[in-house]
Amino acid sequence: MRIYGDINSGNCLKVKWVCDKLALPYRWIAVDTMKGETRTPQFLAMNAAGQVPTVLFDDGRTLAQSNAIIRYLARDSVLLPRDAFTAAKMDEWLFWEQYSHEPYIAVCRFQLVYLGKSASELDPEKVRRGYAALDRMEQHLATHRFFAGEEMSLADVSLLAYTRLAHEGGFDLGRYPAVRRWIGEAEASLGLPPVR
Ligand SMILES: N[C@@H](CCC(=O)N[C@@H](CS)C(=O)NCC(=O)O)C(=O)O
């Protein structure tokens, strides 16, 4: 299996972390999104959306969208709750991450770190929605160890990717003790060094 990914992208790191955690063999193909490498005819033939992560399996099939990829790779693993309802709660968080978290926290980070914008140039609505996402996570994590059930699941992997980098998007994680506790636990479970 080949993972086409950019190591600076949280969406791509989700896939790497799941493979590493589950000891799934893969070859990482570095794609530089800033150089337009997702827009070449060869890449678009694999994923017409022109985005990483994209996975090319040995039989020639391809799969895109980080959460779809990790859900497929982690089937029948400890990262996917066996109980159907708990698995559905995990999916609830996965969809929420893509619609209500990543578009604000990851996009603010992208604009500051990669486009060189200043904090004052960020769209205040994106900042507001990013903080709203962190508020919701804090509320949940104040009374739960992880996001779905009692064990670490793909919901935690997915939400970890950009939450641990939220400060790079200008978000103050000092206001979120439960989120910071959870980041540490999730990083340890994945064998990741603390982000800072
Ligand atoms: N919803 C997608 C988002 C993928 C995405 O936005 N990928 C970015 C990197 S994080 C990308 O490939 N950007 C390059 C481009 O759009 O050309 C996922 O979860 O995989």
Side-chain angles (χ1 to χ4, degrees):
M1 164 174 80
R2 292 176 182 206
I3 302 170
Y4 289 82
D6 184 328
I7 208 72
N8 297 309
S9 152
N11 285 321
C12 297
L13 288 173
K14 294 175 195 173
V15 179
K16 182 179 190 311
W17 294 342
V18 165
C19 288
D20 292 342
K21 169 94 176 162
L22 302 178
L24 302 176
Y26 64 90
R27 193 168 141 211
W28 181 270
I29 311 290
V31 176
D32 190 336
T33 56
M34 299 303 286
K35 290 189 179 154
E37 291 179 3
T38 51
R39 302 293 159 159
T40 64
Q42 294 87 339
F43 192 90
L44 291 171
M46 266 193 318
N47 177 3
Q51 291 179 326
V52 285
T54 297
V55 170
L56 173 62
F57 293 98
D58 293 344
D59 62 6
R61 294 186 297 176
T62 58
L63 191 59
Q65 292 294 329
S66 58
N67 288 348
I69 295 169
I70 60 176
R71 217 184 179 297
Y72 177 67
L73 294 177
R75 65 194 183 282
D76 302 327
S77 83
V78 291
L79 291 173
L80 218 153
R82 298 184 80 82
D83 172 69
F85 186 76
T86 311
K89 291 304 282 184
M90 180 193 80
D91 288 337
E92 181 182 317
W93 285 110
L94 291 179
F95 285 108
W96 181 82
E97 186 264 350
Q98 284 287 292
Y99 192 77
S100 301
H101 179 289
E102 192 258 17
Y104 308 112
I105 294 179
V107 168
C108 286
R109 171 183 178 255
F110 181 79
Q111 295 187 348
L112 291 188
V113 177
Y114 299 101
L115 300 186
K117 284 191 179 182
S118 64
S120 62
E121 290 176 292
L122 291 175
D123 174 359
E125 182 59 11
K126 282 197 177 21
V127 176
R128 188 190 70 74
R129 299 283 296 263
Y131 273 116
L134 292 170
D135 288 347
R136 176 151 190 237
M137 292 174 72
E138 179 72 14
Q139 188 182 28
H140 178 86
L141 291 169
T143 52
H144 299 81
R145 188 168 168 211
F146 293 114
F147 279 97
E150 303 306 314
E151 308 291 335
M152 171 105 175
S153 77
L154 294 179
D156 302 283
V157 174
S158 184
L159 282 163
L160 181 66
Y162 287 106
T163 305
R164 75 198 287 258
L165 301 176
H167 57 286
E168 294 183 2
F171 295 95
D172 176 14
L173 285 180
R175 291 157 50 173
Y176 299 100
V179 170
R180 283 187 281 112
R181 184 272 306 156
W182 163 82
I183 288 174
E185 279 198 55
E187 285 175 338
S189 169
L190 293 172
L192 304 174
V195 74
R196 254 212 272 195

